[in-house]
Amino acid sequence: DIYSRIIYGSRISLYVGILAVVIGTTTGAFLGLVSGFVGGRTDTVIQRIMDSLLAFPALILALAIVAALGQSTTNVIIAVAVVLMPTAARVIRSSVLSLKENVFVEAGRAIGCGNLRLLLRHIMPNCAAPYIILATSTLGTAILSEAALSFLGLGTPPPEPSWGTMLS
């Protein structure tokens, strides 16, 4: 019964998509926070790593990661999360760079706030809106990436139904 396999396969696709978005966007946001706030050599190193990840097409990079790690649901989650990290790091870094110049950060420095407190209490909450928008907009991309990897035979192993496996 194809309809029941489609419905059951949506569990796997949504599970992989949501988990990959949470892991990839959160890791990318953390790297973007550190990169934008610290600046200097740390910023340069993190951004060159993100540039090198962005240089490859997303599906090709995910395909290479899954091929290197092996076929499993966990490896698909890791591959899709790695693909989503650079975009999140770039968006959050640009948000941090603009927030770092605001008056409330200068006021926090004037009253003696340390860098960690400025980052966690003042800058990070103001980066929540771009983070949420980015996470929700990349969910569809993550689900399509999982389906594409399953279609190519590198996604969820065959006994489990997946949208990509059913298409193939």
Side-chain angles (χ1 to χ4, degrees), residues 69-160:
L69 296 176
Q71 179 184 9
S72 76
T73 306
T74 306
N75 293 341
V76 171
I77 292 170
I78 292 169
V80 175
V82 168
V83 168
L84 297 177
M85 271 191 335
T87 306
R90 285 285 183 106
V91 169
I92 299 299
R93 176 184 175 266
S94 65
S95 181
V96 168
L97 287 176
S98 68
L99 287 170
K100 201 166 76 166
E101 303 301 321
N102 282 342
V103 178
F104 65 87
V105 174
E106 186 178 333
R109 286 194 196 279
I111 63 169
C113 289
N115 285 337
L116 186 63
R117 181 179 172 118
L118 281 173
L119 187 64
L120 295 178
R121 297 285 304 246
H122 299 286
I123 292 178
M124 193 171 79
N126 287 307
C127 292
Y131 173 82
I132 292 169
I133 291 168
L134 186 68
T136 56
S137 67
T138 57
L139 180 62
T141 305
I143 292 172
L144 284 175
S145 297
E146 184 274 331
L149 289 172
S150 294
F151 178 78
L152 294 172
L154 291 172
T156 308
E160 291 289 325

